[in-house]
Amino acid sequence: MHESTMRHLLEKNDKAHLRRTRRVFEERKDSMAMVDGLPVIHFCSNDYLNLATHPAVKKSFANTAGSQGLGSTGSALISGYSKSHAKLEAAFAEFLQRDKAILFNSGFHANLGVLTTFAGKNSVIIADKHCHASLNAGALLSRAKYIRYRHNHLQHAEELLYKNQERASLLVTESVFSMQGSISNIRQLSEMAKKNNAMLIVDDAHGIGILGKTGAGAGEHFQLTQKELPCLVTPLGKAMGSYGAIVSGDETTIESLLQFAGSYRYCTALPPAICEATLTALALLKNESFRREKLLHLCEFFLQESRKYNFTLASQDLTPIMSVVIGCSEKTLKIQQALIEKGLLVSCIRPPTVPANKACIRISLNCAHEEKQIVYLLDQLNEQYNAGE
């Protein structure tokens, strides 16, 4: 596009109160952070179990970087696949009770690879309307017919599956939706997929570490076998506190990704240090269940306390994502800024991430938060929510 066109688009974006800005994080420790020189209680992080800065995780990363250096030096199919990568894949396959796993560089890379491998121009992809941008991008890149069902509307999903059962179909959802915090009924989606000869693909980015008796995510929470949930995408940048994404399934599923996923083949592999640090985080997830237990208690506490106020949550499901629907992008921005001035950092979510009338304050809880911090947040949020009314 010409420069004048881009200037016009930027001006239009500004008028709609949609400009994004970056904040400089100078320090993160437990529930606190130093952001743009200001100390704040951090309610933006996806590090739900507070593992990213765990001393053991940092030590593992530093030790591996000290012995193996910074980068992996090549793609996994050429020179970048190390013993650390193989160990991480095997550890997650075992933890998730899957036959095999493959490590992608990010959840975005994984979703692009999965959808372009298992769908093509003669396929149809049926996905929840609130699925992540990476799933939308993968569906469009696959050239498949792309249809979206109303959010968590199982009847609508089944109608679309039935209408398209003569074509190779993928049924796609997130386990926990990243902006709303709502949980998808994957058990019923699995039954519908089997009935209509579709392949179920689940992005478990916000489910891993949270859902299930041991935190193993959606498969454990809904007690689904590998056959019932054939393709599971497990990004590692949320509760695991790391980076990259595991895709797991049977031998054929994973070998197909190894051979045909361009977003795997043409990327320099992640550094071995990230793999070793993630292995340490996985061990902590397994051995320190108190983290998940405290987090779920805080989620219950937040939902209970929020009922004292008149704002609307996007979901009442028990997850660390608590989004307060504001509606107007301008007002949402003003509330965020006012909260920062009160020492509270929350996310301001606006279109196109959410629909035009669904701008929201997204609050992420982690196990390092305390009840008094949540009470303070809700009090201040309520004050700003009702300001000027």
Side-chain angles (χ1 to χ4, degrees), residues 65-310:
S67 63
Q68 299 192 45
L70 175 58
S72 66
T73 78
S75 75
L77 294 176
I78 297 180
S79 64
Y81 190 69
S82 69
K83 185 177 180 179
S84 298
H85 293 82
K87 283 166 52 183
L88 183 63
E89 290 172 343
F92 267 95
E94 180 182 7
F95 181 54
L96 300 173
Q97 298 186 16
R98 321 278 287 177
D99 289 347
K100 201 169 182 181
I102 186 171
L103 175 65
F104 281 79
N105 280 26
S106 69
F108 209 111
H109 284 87
N111 285 333
L112 289 182
V114 165
L115 295 188
T116 55
T117 295
F118 297 117
K121 62 182 179 180
N122 296 318
S123 310
V124 58
I125 297 173
I126 298 168
D128 191 291
K129 194 168 185 178
H130 285 180
C131 274
H132 191 266
S134 59
L135 291 166
N136 293 331
L140 295 172
L141 191 61
S142 74
R143 298 181 298 160
K145 180 181 179 182
Y146 186 34
I147 312 170
R148 298 193 292 174
Y149 61 89
R150 294 186 290 277
H151 177 53
N152 270 347
H153 198 301
L154 299 182
Q155 183 179 347
H156 189 209
E158 188 162 31
E159 289 170 1
L160 294 173
L161 281 167
Y162 179 76
K163 289 178 183 178
N164 292 278
Q165 63 180 313
E166 299 303 317
R167 301 173 68 175
S169 300
L170 305 183
L171 180 59
V172 180
T173 186
E174 295 180 49
S175 57
V176 177
F177 287 88
S178 58
M179 292 300 110
Q180 294 78 25
S182 49
I183 300 175
S184 181
N185 192 329
I186 298 171
R187 162 64 62 183
Q188 285 188 247
L189 289 172
S190 174
E191 293 169 359
M192 289 191 291
K194 180 181 179 181
K195 181 180 176 181
N196 292 280
N197 197 32
M199 179 183 187
L200 178 63
I201 295 171
V202 174
D203 182 329
D204 202 24
H206 298 273
I208 186 67
I210 309 302
L211 300 181
K213 185 178 179 180
T214 68
E220 182 179 54
H221 180 75
F222 289 98
Q223 298 183 319
L224 296 173
T225 65
Q226 179 176 271
K227 191 172 183 180
E228 293 169 313
L229 204 178
C231 187
L232 179 63
V233 181
T234 306
L236 307 174
K238 279 67 179 179
M240 297 305 305
S242 184
Y243 194 75
I246 290 287
V247 181
S248 57
D250 64 20
E251 176 77 29
T252 300
T253 297
I254 302 310
E255 187 63 21
S256 297
L257 291 168
L258 179 64
Q259 298 301 324
F260 305 123
S263 59
Y264 182 79
R265 179 187 301 155
Y266 300 117
C267 283
T268 299
L270 289 174
I274 288 181
C275 298
E276 292 293 340
T278 308
L279 280 165
T280 302
L282 179 58
L284 290 166
L285 169 62
K286 293 178 181 178
N287 297 328
E288 296 186 352
S289 59
F290 68 85
R291 295 175 180 274
R292 186 172 62 261
E293 290 164 3
K294 182 185 176 187
L295 176 63
L296 293 177
H297 166 74
L298 291 173
C299 294
E300 291 177 338
F301 180 79
F302 185 102
L303 288 173
Q304 175 186 318
E305 290 295 304
S306 69
R307 296 186 183 109
K308 299 176 182 178
Y309 305 98
N310 66 348

